[in-house]
Amino acid sequence: MKRTLFKYFVELTGHPVSSTLLKSISQSPLSRPLIKPFAKAYGINESEAEYAIETYGSLQAYFTRNLKQGVRNIEPAPNILVSPVDGVLSAAGKVEKEQTFLIKDYSYSIKQILGDEKIAKRYENGYYCIFYLSPSHYHHFHYPIDGNLLSRYALGTVSYPVNNLGLRLGDRPFATNYRLISELETAFGQVAIVKVGALNVNSIHIQNHTKNCVKGEDFGYFSFGSTVILFIEQHESFQLLQKPATNIMMGESIGIWT
């Protein structure tokens, strides 16, 4: 019951009014008494947070916490693709022509996700990775590889939940949620990072607008629940290193160009 209540606060609900109310409470000092029970309910490692738990002024401030420097190891080899987030690698594989991505009983084309046929075609025969971030996870996102920012664009006006309930009931949420897409030019081709917003609020915050993208660099965060999708352009030497349903830490190797 307690975990269900906390999920409402960090993933919101299906109704705009109740979502707005939950958002307001979670951002208010009134939510401070919820922080310690929240951390305990989800087994959060308090020692990793930038500050002591008592210093956070609201549940949302704790949810969007920074980590201490050095608590995540970034694989330094330039030919290694790393996870951009802490989360669960819920799906991964090859992007076949005309492929749809089955996510919790719904299928989505890459065109629906990226919103543009020309951009989508670029990643055909490449690879994809989908990461789900639960309330227990650190909610910042980082660059998975060195590169230059080619474009950053937003799609969608309505956000649905990205948890199991939302994927069952939402209107094809990966295709219609508010989402922010960053495309990088790397030494191995292009990589798209798709950040999918949470329910009823556009919860994606960009902190770093530099064009020079450094692997492992923090460039934004989600203020409420979220999902991240990577698309990797075709390269004959690329291999995935992780299998779906794997818990992943930000900076951990998920692919390699040999």
Side-chain angles (χ1 to χ4, degrees), residues 58-254:
S58 68
L59 181 61
Q60 208 245 0
Y62 185 68
F63 183 73
T64 60
R65 65 196 178 277
N66 290 311
L67 296 180
K68 287 179 181 174
Q69 286 282 83
V71 298
R72 292 288 179 274
N73 295 318
I74 312 299
E75 173 55 55
N79 62 326
I80 294 288
L81 182 75
V82 304
S83 175
V85 292
D86 286 2
V88 176
L89 181 63
S90 59
K94 185 107 175 180
V95 181
E96 306 292 350
K97 188 175 182 181
E98 307 299 331
Q99 178 183 355
T100 57
F101 303 86
L102 187 64
I103 306 169
K104 300 295 184 182
D105 301 324
Y106 283 92
S107 60
Y108 308 88
S109 70
I110 188 171
K111 179 184 173 183
Q112 287 174 310
I113 296 169
L114 295 174
D116 185 283
E117 187 170 1
K118 184 177 179 181
I119 294 174
K121 195 168 184 63
R122 185 178 300 147
Y123 299 98
E124 283 184 2
N125 301 312
Y127 289 84
Y128 71 96
C129 299
I130 302 173
F131 303 88
Y132 169 65
L133 284 69
S134 78
S136 65
H137 290 119
Y138 161 67
H139 267 67
H140 286 235
F141 40 83
H142 298 241
Y143 288 118
I145 191 73
D146 290 338
N148 294 312
L149 184 67
L150 285 180
S151 68
R152 180 171 285 146
Y153 62 98
L155 293 170
T157 56
V158 177
S159 289
Y160 294 92
V162 294
N163 58 14
N164 289 348
L165 179 64
L167 289 166
R168 290 198 303 272
L169 303 182
D171 180 20
R172 306 180 71 83
F174 281 96
T176 60
N177 272 43
Y178 178 83
R179 57 208 184 277
L180 193 62
I181 296 144
S182 304
E183 282 197 291
L184 309 186
E185 180 67 60
T186 81
F188 308 99
Q190 292 187 23
V191 173
I193 311 165
V194 184
K195 286 79 66 183
V196 183
L199 175 64
N200 287 315
V201 296
N202 296 334
S203 60
I204 305 165
H205 305 269
I206 298 296
Q207 299 183 112
N208 185 338
H209 296 275
T210 181
K211 300 286 186 180
N212 181 33
C213 307
V214 178
K215 182 163 67 172
E217 190 172 70
D218 181 356
F219 73 101
Y221 65 92
F222 296 99
S223 56
F224 294 93
S226 50
T227 288
V228 170
I229 308 168
L230 290 185
F231 288 108
I232 301 104
E233 189 175 13
Q234 180 188 17
H235 192 290
E236 61 183 13
S237 73
F238 184 77
Q239 299 173 22
L240 287 170
L241 299 175
Q242 302 286 352
K243 294 181 179 179
T246 302
N247 285 298
I248 298 289
M249 291 290 194
M250 188 280 294
E252 189 174 348
S253 303
I254 58 171

